Amino acid sequence: INKETKKSLEYNAVLKVTQEDLSLLENYSCDEVAEVLGVLSVQYVVQDKDCKDVQLTPSTFGVCERCRKMTVDPSHTRDLSQDDLESEPSNLCQRCIRVLDDLKA
């Protein structure tokens, strides 16, 4: 994967695997597999033949201002008041929004 692109964390991966491979991969979350592969996200496509293949597609998400991962869905950005904009970034991923909300509570 690192040979295909300079910034693998900006890509989503589609793994073509056999049913047997999928049964092994299901022991781990997609987030864990993505972390190991160094990509933003992972999806599996089951094939009958034994053909290992990875397809990379660039992410359409933006960079979170808190964790710096490309996980900000443009349709789910937080609407902040002007007062909040001075103290808190507006382009946050859902995970960071939950963390900051928990800290405020």
Side-chain angles (χ1 to χ4, degrees), residues 86-104:
E86 295 172 5
S87 62
E88 188 174 317
S90 60
N91 290 324
L92 298 174
C93 67
Q94 295 301 309
R95 184 185 68 84
C96 287
I97 288 172
R98 283 192 305 273
V99 169
L100 293 175
D101 286 345
D102 288 346
L103 289 174
K104 288 180 182 179

Side-chain angles (χ1 to χ4, degrees), residues 30-105:
C30 287
D31 289 339
E32 290 173 318
V33 175
E35 184 81 23
V36 169
L37 295 177
V39 295
L40 186 58
S41 68
V42 171
Q43 290 181 325
Y44 306 120
V45 175
V46 178
Q47 293 186 328
D48 293 333
K49 59 184 178 185
D50 190 18
C51 173
K52 311 280 191 292
D53 188 29
V54 177
Q55 293 178 334
L56 298 175
T57 57
S59 175
T60 58
F61 286 4
V63 177
C64 176
E65 293 180 25
R66 182 175 177 267
C67 68
R68 308 303 304 158
K69 290 187 178 183
M70 288 194 68
T71 53
V72 178
D73 185 346
S75 65
H76 291 98
T77 56
R78 172 180 264 184
D79 291 330
L80 299 174
S81 68
Q82 190 60 36
D83 294 336
D84 289 337
L85 288 175
E86 295 172 5
S87 62
E88 188 174 317
S90 60
N91 290 324
L92 298 174
C93 67
Q94 295 301 309
R95 184 185 68 84
C96 287
I97 288 172
R98 283 192 305 273
V99 169
L100 293 175
D101 286 345
D102 288 346
L103 289 174
K104 288 180 182 179

